[in-house]
């Protein structure tokens, strides 16, 4: 008999209206801290609430031009979790594609009512990026 992994389900993280373009929200889902913000185009983003540099909570940072800047040393993350700026490396710092925060269910807005997040292994695999709607194509 196999056991069901409750982490591989979608969970409501916040009401859509509570996540404005300049807002950073922190929520805990099944023991996993998640930070929510919006990209410049309005897309909701859910990342692990932990900076790659010193493990500071990203939720204490600020949204700047649709990216999330860590309050500790200013590392800046885009909507895919990629580090796009490291202030100590200057504007011509090396691009390091492996510098990427864990993302949870990108494009996770459901019917403009709720932001939902997938926190299990499916989210970590990167194979799912949309909430299933239950509608057939």
């Amino acid at each position: 008999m196999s056991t069901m992994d409750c982490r591989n389900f979608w969970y409501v993280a916040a009401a859509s209206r509570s996540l404005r373009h300049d807002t950073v929200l922190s929520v805990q889902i099944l023991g996993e801290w998640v930070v929510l913000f919006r990209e410049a185009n309005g897309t909701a983003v859910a990342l692990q609430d932990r900076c790659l540099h010193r493990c500071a909570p990203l939720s204490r940072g600020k949204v700047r031009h649709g990216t999330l800047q860590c309050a500790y040393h200013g590392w800046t993350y885009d909507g895919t979790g990629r580090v796009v700026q490291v202030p100590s490396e200057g504007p011509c710092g090396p691009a390091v594609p492996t510098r990427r925060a864990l993302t949870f269910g990108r494009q996770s807005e459901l019917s403009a009512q709720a932001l939902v997040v997938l926190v299990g292994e499916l989210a970590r695999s990167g194979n799912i990026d949309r909430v299933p709607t239950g509608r057939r194509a």
Side-chain angles (χ1 to χ4, degrees), residues 12 17 35 39 56 117:
V12 174
R17 66 182 173 276
V35 63
E39 293 179 288
V117 174

Side-chain angles (χ1 to χ4, degrees), residues 42-87:
T43 302
V45 176
L47 303 177
Q48 185 177 44
D49 193 3
R50 184 177 71 86
C51 181
L52 295 175
H53 179 228
R54 296 279 183 185
C55 299
L58 288 174
S59 56
R60 294 191 179 162
K62 294 185 179 189
V63 178
R64 299 191 183 276
H65 310 291
T67 60
L68 182 59
Q69 185 178 50
C70 179
Y72 191 45
H73 283 120
W75 282 36
T76 304
Y77 298 81
D78 69 9
T80 67
R82 188 172 62 93
V83 176
V84 294
Q85 184 182 20
V86 177

Side-chain angles (χ1 to χ4, degrees), residues 10-21:
W10 293 93
Y11 291 90
V12 174
S16 292
R17 66 182 173 276
S18 66
L19 189 63
R20 296 180 309 275
H21 74 281

Side-chain angles (χ1 to χ4, degrees), residues 4-137:
M4 185 181 342
D5 184 1
C6 292
R7 297 173 56 80
N8 284 325
F9 290 91
W10 293 93
Y11 291 90
V12 174
S16 292
R17 66 182 173 276
S18 66
L19 189 63
R20 296 180 309 275
H21 74 281
D22 59 346
T23 305
V24 179
L25 296 177
S26 178
V27 297
Q28 188 178 30
I29 302 171
L30 298 178
E32 184 79 58
W33 284 100
V34 178
V35 63
L36 304 167
F37 71 99
R38 288 195 186 276
E39 293 179 288
N41 66 5
T43 302
V45 176
L47 303 177
Q48 185 177 44
D49 193 3
R50 184 177 71 86
C51 181
L52 295 175
H53 179 228
R54 296 279 183 185
C55 299
L58 288 174
S59 56
R60 294 191 179 162
K62 294 185 179 189
V63 178
R64 299 191 183 276
H65 310 291
T67 60
L68 182 59
Q69 185 178 50
C70 179
Y72 191 45
H73 283 120
W75 282 36
T76 304
Y77 298 81
D78 69 9
T80 67
R82 188 172 62 93
V83 176
V84 294
Q85 184 182 20
V86 177
S88 64
E89 294 177 354
C92 298
V96 183
T98 56
R99 285 185 186 164
R100 185 177 301 274
L102 178 62
T103 60
F104 297 105
R106 198 159 141 66
Q107 298 178 354
S108 56
E109 198 146 4
L110 181 62
S111 305
Q113 300 297 314
L115 300 169
V116 294
V117 174
L118 181 71
V119 294
E121 290 302 316
L122 290 174
R124 295 180 197 320
S125 72
N127 291 332
I128 294 179
D129 64 358
R130 289 188 182 270
V131 177
T133 62
R135 297 182 206 151
R136 295 183 182 181

